[in-house]
Amino acid sequence: MRIAAATVLLVGALALTGCTAAGADSASGTPAPTTANTDSPDASSSEATVVSSVTAIVPTDLNEETISAETTRIAAAVQALIDPALIINVDDHAQFVDKTESVGRYYGILRPITLEPSVDAVRAATEIVSILESSGWINRDVATEADPFLSGLVSSKDDATSWFLAIVGDTSVAGQSVLSIQLASPDIP
C-alpha cells in the first residue's frame, strides 16, 4: 500500500515540477550527470564507492530519529550522483507522514531537482536507476515509453525494512529539465 500512496504523491509532484525551471530547449545528446568517472585510473574503486553509498542500511533500532537520518542520507547519496554544476535548484520537502488505515507512519522525502536545460533528465534518471540497481535496489516498475521517465524501486524484498524510491526524469516541457527523487521509509513501529 505504501507504493500506491507514494505513487499518488508522485503524480502531484510531477504536476509541480513541470513549472520549476525556465531556459533553452533540451539537447538529447548531452551526457547524463553521474559521479562515476570511467576515465580515471581508479574508476572501479570510485564506482564501488558510489554503489555502496546508495545502499540502504537498516538501523538496528527503527525509530523516528534513525529512520529519518537514513532516509535523508539515501536521498543525499542519490542526489550526489548528479554533477552539482548541472543543478539549478533543489526543492527539498521532508516530513513524517501519519499512519492511515492502509499505510503505517513513515518518513518521506520529495526532492525535485531543476537541472540545466541542456541536461537530458530522462537519460540521467535512467543512468541513476542503473547505478541503484547495481547497488541492490530492486526495480518494481518502470515507465519508459514516454517522457517523463519513472522508475519505482525498493531497497529489499522485506516490506518491513524496505525503502521505496521513485526516480523521475522529466523533459516534457520545452526548456526545462527536472529530475525528482521521492523516497519513503519503512513504516515506523
Side-chain angles (χ1 to χ4, degrees):
M1 283 319 252
R2 188 172 68 225
I3 293 173
T7 302
V8 169
L9 289 174
L10 184 59
V11 171
L14 287 174
L16 294 174
T17 59
C19 301
T20 57
D25 288 338
S26 256
S28 61
T30 302
T34 67
T35 57
N37 181 0
T38 56
D39 296 331
S40 167
D42 62 344
S44 61
S45 172
S46 175
E47 289 171 13
T49 301
V50 167
V51 166
S52 66
S53 72
V54 294
T55 303
I57 301 168
V58 180
T60 305
D61 184 18
L62 293 175
N63 59 51
E64 286 186 358
E65 183 179 333
T66 61
I67 289 285
S68 64
E70 179 60 7
T71 305
T72 301
R73 186 199 67 77
I74 294 167
V78 173
Q79 181 179 329
L81 298 174
I82 304 167
D83 181 351
L86 300 177
I87 296 174
I88 294 173
N89 184 55
V90 177
D91 190 13
D92 191 27
H93 302 278
Q95 69 181 36
F96 287 98
V97 179
D98 291 332
K99 181 179 180 177
T100 66
E101 288 181 21
S102 60
V103 179
R105 182 171 169 79
Y106 67 94
Y107 189 73
I109 294 177
L110 173 61
R111 189 175 288 180
I113 302 168
T114 306
L115 303 171
E116 289 290 336
S118 63
V119 175
D120 182 346
V122 171
R123 182 172 172 204
T126 303
E127 291 188 8
I128 287 172
V129 167
S130 178
I131 292 168
L132 291 165
E133 288 174 326
S134 68
S135 75
W137 285 81
I138 302 161
N139 201 335
R140 294 286 185 167
D141 195 17
V142 64
T144 58
E145 294 79 36
D147 192 3
F149 168 88
L150 166 65
S151 181
L153 303 108
V154 292
S155 62
S156 78
K157 293 180 182 179
D158 179 10
D159 287 343
T161 60
S162 181
W163 274 262
F164 173 75
L165 174 61
I167 300 292
V168 181
D170 188 355
T171 57
S172 61
V173 177
Q176 298 181 5
S177 183
V178 178
L179 192 141
S180 295
I181 300 167
Q182 182 177 356
L183 189 59
S185 74
D187 290 348
I188 302 168

